[in-house]
Amino acid sequence: MNFRIMEKPTQKKEKLDTREGSGLYAPQRRMFLRYAGATALATTLLLTTSCDDDDDGMTDPEAVDLGSGDTGILNYAYALEQLEAAFYTEVVARSLSVFSQTEQQIMQDLKGHESIHRDFLKAALGSAAIPDLEVNFSSINFNDKSSILTTARTFEDLGVAAYNGAGQYLENAGFLTLAGKIVSVEARHAAVIRDLITNGTFSDSANNQGLDPAMMPADVLQAASPFIVTKISANNLPK
């Protein structure tokens, strides 16, 4: 699941129809996605601190153990970023024709961001990183826009909830800052996907208190399990 990321050349400006309902009224969405990508890029400076080497052993010999402490939390995030990066790579490779020109750029931006997150976490973990995961997207119709966006909403919501739920257990201040930066990008992704589904629904991912949800690792991995073939053990992470 290693995908090479190429930086895209600057594209010629397009004149877009900005009327609601046109499907091309979203230059703001593209703009804040680009800023979000720049924010993620800045977090490379935080990856100079080495990870903890805690390893309590695998409880299931067939499962990939995430580890414990900060290493376990980062591997947990790395597993989810692998899933998201693989998904958007498939979307860009197979499904751009179902989207408008502006939406195609958004999908490409999302692919770039998730690939950056994945590669940052892999670099931070070094030799402690879990291997590449085998994913299963057979339940997704990549020829259907609704199927793609519904899955994207699921993945982005899980990403936000995962960082919100597990970030509190990070002990290294640099990693906590990194997680805070990444979750802010994931929240923007969740908002954009919802706006692509129904215009003007940027806040629908929040609960009725106006806050993004938080989920514990076991619940997040259970929700993601239909899309991940590799068995993952999170037994050493906080319950």
Side-chain angles (χ1 to χ4, degrees), residues 27-49:
Q28 299 92 341
R29 291 181 290 200
R30 291 179 57 184
M31 184 65 71
F32 75 63
L33 280 174
R34 291 183 184 279
Y35 282 130
T39 299
L41 185 60
T43 63
T44 50
L45 299 177
L46 297 173
L47 296 177
T48 57
T49 305

Side-chain angles (χ1 to χ4, degrees), residues 127-167:
S127 62
I130 60 173
D132 293 347
L133 302 179
E134 183 182 354
V135 298
N136 176 14
F137 296 144
S138 61
S139 63
I140 305 168
N141 182 355
F142 284 96
N143 295 314
D144 179 69
K145 182 176 179 180
S146 177
S147 177
I148 295 167
L149 293 179
T150 299
T151 305
R153 180 175 61 189
T154 296
F155 288 166
E156 298 299 349
D157 286 356
L158 276 180
V160 173
Y163 280 101
N164 285 346

Side-chain angles (χ1 to χ4, degrees), residues 56-70:
D56 294 333
M58 297 196 307
T59 58
D60 182 345
E62 296 183 358
V64 171
D65 184 43
L66 299 178
S68 61
D70 284 4

Side-chain angles (χ1 to χ4, degrees), residues 5-238:
I5 305 170
M6 303 291 292
E7 184 173 350
K8 300 188 327 171
T10 303
Q11 295 185 350
K12 186 175 164 186
K13 266 188 172 176
E14 306 161 354
K15 183 175 181 183
L16 301 177
D17 183 350
T18 59
R19 295 171 298 174
E20 284 198 34
S22 67
L24 294 176
Y25 84 104
Q28 299 92 341
R29 291 181 290 200
R30 291 179 57 184
M31 184 65 71
F32 75 63
L33 280 174
R34 291 183 184 279
Y35 282 130
T39 299
L41 185 60
T43 63
T44 50
L45 299 177
L46 297 173
L47 296 177
T48 57
T49 305
S50 62
C51 294
D52 295 335
D53 291 324
D54 297 334
D55 185 4
D56 294 333
M58 297 196 307
T59 58
D60 182 345
E62 296 183 358
V64 171
D65 184 43
L66 299 178
S68 61
D70 284 4
T71 297
I73 297 297
L74 292 186
N75 265 324
Y76 167 55
Y78 177 45
L80 294 174
E81 296 296 352
Q82 285 192 52
L83 177 64
E84 291 183 285
F87 168 70
Y88 286 113
T89 296
E90 287 294 299
V91 171
V92 169
R94 300 169 56 182
S95 309
L96 287 186
S97 62
V98 306
F99 294 103
S100 69
Q101 189 170 8
T102 298
E103 292 166 346
Q104 289 177 15
Q105 184 62 58
I106 290 172
M107 292 298 113
Q108 291 169 336
D109 288 343
L110 293 175
K111 173 196 170 186
H113 296 173
E114 302 298 0
S115 298
I116 288 170
H117 294 170
R118 177 200 62 201
D119 294 344
F120 280 177
L121 289 166
K122 183 174 183 178
L125 285 157
S127 62
I130 60 173
D132 293 347
L133 302 179
E134 183 182 354
V135 298
N136 176 14
F137 296 144
S138 61
S139 63
I140 305 168
N141 182 355
F142 284 96
N143 295 314
D144 179 69
K145 182 176 179 180
S146 177
S147 177
I148 295 167
L149 293 179
T150 299
T151 305
R153 180 175 61 189
T154 296
F155 288 166
E156 298 299 349
D157 286 356
L158 276 180
V160 173
Y163 280 101
N164 285 346
Q168 61 185 309
Y169 300 110
L170 286 168
E171 296 180 0
N172 181 290
F175 292 145
L176 181 59
T177 302
L178 170 62
K181 289 177 178 289
I182 292 180
V183 75
S184 70
V185 177
E186 298 292 346
R188 287 170 172 80
H189 291 179
V192 167
I193 292 298
R194 274 177 161 71
D195 200 56
L196 290 179
I197 294 172
T198 305
N199 289 340
T201 57
F202 283 98
S203 62
D204 280 0
S205 62
N207 61 27
N208 57 11
Q209 280 80 42
L211 303 173
D212 287 317
M215 294 172 63
M216 294 300 290
D219 298 322
V220 171
L221 292 174
Q222 179 63 33
S225 63
F227 304 98
I228 302 176
V229 176
T230 307
K231 294 178 66 176
I232 298 175
S233 171
N235 290 341
N236 293 316
L237 296 188

